[in-house]
Amino acid sequence: SSDAHAVYLVNNKETEHDEYENKESYYSKSVNERIIKAGYNMSNVQYTGEVFSVYFAELKEGHANAMMDLFNAIYHRFIMIDPDMSKAGFSERSGNNFTAMVIDSVINKNNTHLEGVVYPFDGQEGVVSYFGHKSESPDPMPELPGLAGFAISFSVGSKHELMINSFELIQKENSKKVKGKYLMPNSSDEVGNNNFGFIPFQPLKD
């Protein structure tokens, strides 16, 4: 499923999740339909997800950076770290002066007892200080013209209910509270019921 869509994106230089029958290498319209057509048994699947990253160049290296771009994009990250994710398929295709990296996933609710996934994780190294939110679709901060700070998130499995009473990000050097936007559970379809995110209004200090 993921490979079929990567081929479609490359051959048509497309940047959409849906496919169209009049385009080259058409496989099936939606990610759900593509996963079914690929032969996956959907009997226990609650819903499906797809994230992709595209570049108007043929990448020969730097694939790790492309993967990190997906984790840095908060709405994409929620899909990738969903504690209920059962399986995922990965594909990357280059050609036609274009590169597409596609990850399709299936999610089974109540599939895990995992209490939560925080990102970035404790002690993580190499975390960037900024978030180029304009490159994510939909844009989680359309009201902000410039770069935001790196997004912090927390997700729980469907066996748990996520309730946020308070959250603060504090600058270590002066103990000042960092201002930002809160993505609360149930606030939008992209955030969902079991996710929380905080996006600083300005890039963080390195």
Side-chain angles (χ1 to χ4, degrees):
S1 172
S2 58
D3 190 52
H5 195 51
V7 170
Y8 173 89
L9 294 176
V10 167
N11 287 343
N12 297 286
K13 290 190 174 182
E14 281 284 357
T15 58
E16 294 186 39
H17 289 284
D18 282 351
E19 296 185 4
Y20 300 94
E21 293 186 29
N22 62 333
K23 297 291 184 71
E24 183 180 348
S25 304
Y26 172 80
Y27 189 71
S28 200
K29 182 177 181 180
S30 68
V31 58
N32 195 68
E33 292 172 353
R34 291 192 292 271
I35 290 176
I36 292 173
K37 184 174 181 178
Y40 192 84
N41 184 349
M42 301 285 282
S43 58
N44 294 319
V45 174
Q46 299 295 321
Y47 54 96
T48 58
E50 181 176 79
V51 297
F52 66 75
S53 183
V54 297
Y55 299 85
F56 286 86
E58 294 188 31
L59 294 183
K60 303 302 181 184
E61 57 184 28
H63 308 295
N65 291 335
M67 181 66 77
M68 289 309 302
D69 286 344
L70 292 175
F71 274 102
N72 294 347
I74 185 68
Y75 292 153
H76 288 65
R77 184 196 307 170
F78 286 147
I79 297 174
M80 296 175 70
I81 66 173
D82 190 323
D84 288 322
M85 182 187 294
S86 176
K87 286 188 172 67
F90 169 89
S91 180
E92 182 182 73
R93 291 280 186 155
S94 288
N96 197 25
N97 199 32
F98 198 83
T99 298
M101 176 185 291
V102 181
I103 302 174
D104 288 349
S105 59
V106 293
I107 291 87
N108 299 345
K109 287 188 177 181
N110 298 318
N111 186 53
T112 178
H113 290 283
L114 187 65
E115 290 187 2
V117 179
V118 62
Y119 195 92
F121 58 81
D122 188 20
Q124 183 171 337
E125 298 180 354
V127 179
V128 297
S129 59
Y130 60 90
F131 171 31
H133 58 96
K134 295 298 182 185
S135 64
E136 182 166 25
S137 180
D139 182 356
M141 301 188 77
E143 70 279 10
L144 188 68
L147 292 173
F150 189 81
I152 298 169
S153 67
F154 189 77
S155 302
V156 301
S158 56
K159 286 187 176 181
H160 307 279
E161 182 179 3
L162 181 57
M163 300 179 66
I164 305 297
N165 295 318
S166 65
F167 176 89
E168 291 184 347
L169 181 62
I170 304 297
Q171 295 184 38
K172 186 176 181 180
E173 62 180 17
N174 55 23
S175 300
K176 288 185 178 180
K177 181 179 176 181
V178 175
K179 296 180 180 180
K181 181 175 183 177
Y182 293 86
L183 303 178
M184 301 299 289
N186 294 309
S187 60
S188 71
D189 290 339
E190 287 80 15
V191 177
N193 298 333
N194 297 319
N195 298 306
F196 165 77
F198 175 77
I199 310 175
F201 288 138
Q202 295 181 338
L204 302 173
K205 293 185 177 181
D206 292 330

